[in-house]
Amino acid sequence: MDRSRERDRLAKYKYITEIQQMMYVFGEVQDPLPETTMLIEDIVRSQVIEIIVMAAAQAQRRGSRFMAAEDFIFLIRHDRTKVLRLKEYLSWKDVRKKVKERDETGDDIIDDANADKPDRANKVKIKLSWELANSFSDNIVDDDDDEEEMLDAQSDSLKRLRDADEVTRRMTRDEYVHYSECRQASFTFRKNKRFRDWANMS
C-alpha cells in the first residue's frame, strides 16, 4: 500500500529530468537531489497554473473564450525587462514559423524590399493594445525604439552566453556535449500534451 502511494506521489512529477538539466546549466551539481528537483517542480507548477488562471480571467474580461499572448503580457506589464524578452521571443517565433511555411511551399524567404537587411526582413513587431503609441502607429516611425528594445531584451541572454562560455572553457568534449544537451531542456518542445496535462489545461 505504501509503495502504491509512493508511485502515485511520484507520478505527478513529469519534468524531473528537464529540471535537473536546467539546474545543471544554471550552476547546480550535475545530479541534484530528487527531493530538491521535486520541490522546484512543485513551485514552478504552482506558478504556471496561477498565471494561466489569471490570463484566462483576463481573456474573459475582454470577452474572449481563448487566451492570447496579450493576456500574459498584460499580467507582467510592469516588469519592462520581462515584457521585452517575451515580445522578442514571440517575434522570432513568428519568423521561424514563416520560414518553415515558406520552406514547405518553396517560396523565397527574404522579401526583395528588405534584401539588404535579411535578418530583420520578416520580423514582426508585437504591438500591445493598451500602449498609447500604438493608437498612432500609422504616423509614428519607431525604428530606433525597436532597436533599443531589441538590445534591452537581448542583454540578459548575452550575459548568460558569456557565463556559459566561462563554464565550458575547461570542459572535455563529452562534458561539453552533455552541457549543450542540457541547455536545450524545455517544458514544451515536442511535449505539448504533457505540458497541458501538467498545467491542468486539458
Side-chain angles (χ1 to χ4, degrees):
M1 187 69 175
D2 290 339
R3 289 182 180 179
S4 177
R5 279 201 296 266
E6 182 66 10
R7 281 198 301 269
D8 291 342
R9 185 179 74 87
L10 294 176
K12 74 173 185 175
Y13 295 101
K14 301 180 183 297
Y15 288 105
I16 288 179
T17 299
E18 288 82 358
I19 290 174
Q20 287 177 334
Q21 291 173 334
M22 294 176 187
M23 291 171 66
Y24 173 55
V25 169
F26 280 98
E28 184 56 81
V29 295
Q30 189 164 333
D31 296 306
L33 291 172
E35 293 82 2
T36 303
T37 308
M38 289 187 289
L39 174 62
I40 291 177
E41 181 166 341
D42 283 335
I43 294 170
V44 173
R45 183 170 181 263
S46 66
Q47 292 178 338
V48 168
I49 291 174
E50 180 181 7
I51 197 169
I52 288 173
V53 169
M54 293 170 67
Q58 178 63 26
Q60 191 173 35
R61 279 193 288 270
R62 62 181 176 81
S64 175
R65 293 168 50 208
F66 305 101
M67 291 178 287
E70 279 192 5
D71 298 316
F72 291 94
I73 296 176
F74 185 80
L75 298 176
I76 59 172
R77 64 192 182 282
H78 298 304
D79 190 327
R80 189 65 177 168
T81 301
K82 288 182 180 179
V83 170
L84 290 173
R85 288 173 60 188
L86 182 53
K87 288 169 68 176
E88 181 75 359
Y89 167 77
L90 293 171
S91 295
W92 284 114
K93 182 180 179 182
D94 188 72
V95 170
R96 289 192 293 269
K97 179 182 177 183
K98 289 183 177 179
V99 168
K100 182 178 179 181
E101 290 174 351
R102 292 185 179 187
D103 280 345
E104 292 173 352
T105 60
D107 293 339
D108 291 335
I109 294 175
I110 299 173
D111 188 349
D112 290 340
N114 296 288
D116 59 331
K117 298 187 291 184
D119 59 329
R120 299 186 62 196
N122 293 314
K123 189 178 176 188
V124 175
K125 180 175 176 2
I126 305 297
K127 295 185 177 182
L128 304 174
S129 58
W130 60 84
E131 291 184 343
L132 181 61
N134 291 333
S135 301
F136 309 97
S137 57
D138 292 338
N139 302 316
I140 296 177
V141 178
D142 56 356
D143 287 344
D144 291 340
D145 290 341
D146 286 352
E147 285 290 342
E148 186 177 344
E149 285 193 356
M150 184 171 63
L151 291 173
D152 287 341
Q154 291 176 346
S155 61
D156 286 345
S157 296
L158 291 174
K159 183 181 183 303
R160 286 197 298 271
L161 287 174
R162 285 193 293 268
D163 293 341
D165 186 58
E166 286 295 324
V167 169
T168 59
R169 190 166 291 179
R170 290 177 293 277
M171 285 185 176
T172 65
R173 182 181 182 276
D174 290 340
E175 289 172 340
Y176 181 77
V177 168
H178 175 66
Y179 182 86
S180 298
E181 290 173 350
C182 289
R183 288 194 66 205
Q184 307 303 315
S186 169
F187 287 115
T188 57
F189 183 64
R190 295 180 178 175
K191 304 165 189 164
N192 284 341
K193 185 179 185 306
R194 190 204 304 184
F195 181 80
R196 293 179 69 88
D197 292 341
W198 178 76
N200 291 344
M201 295 177 65
S202 300

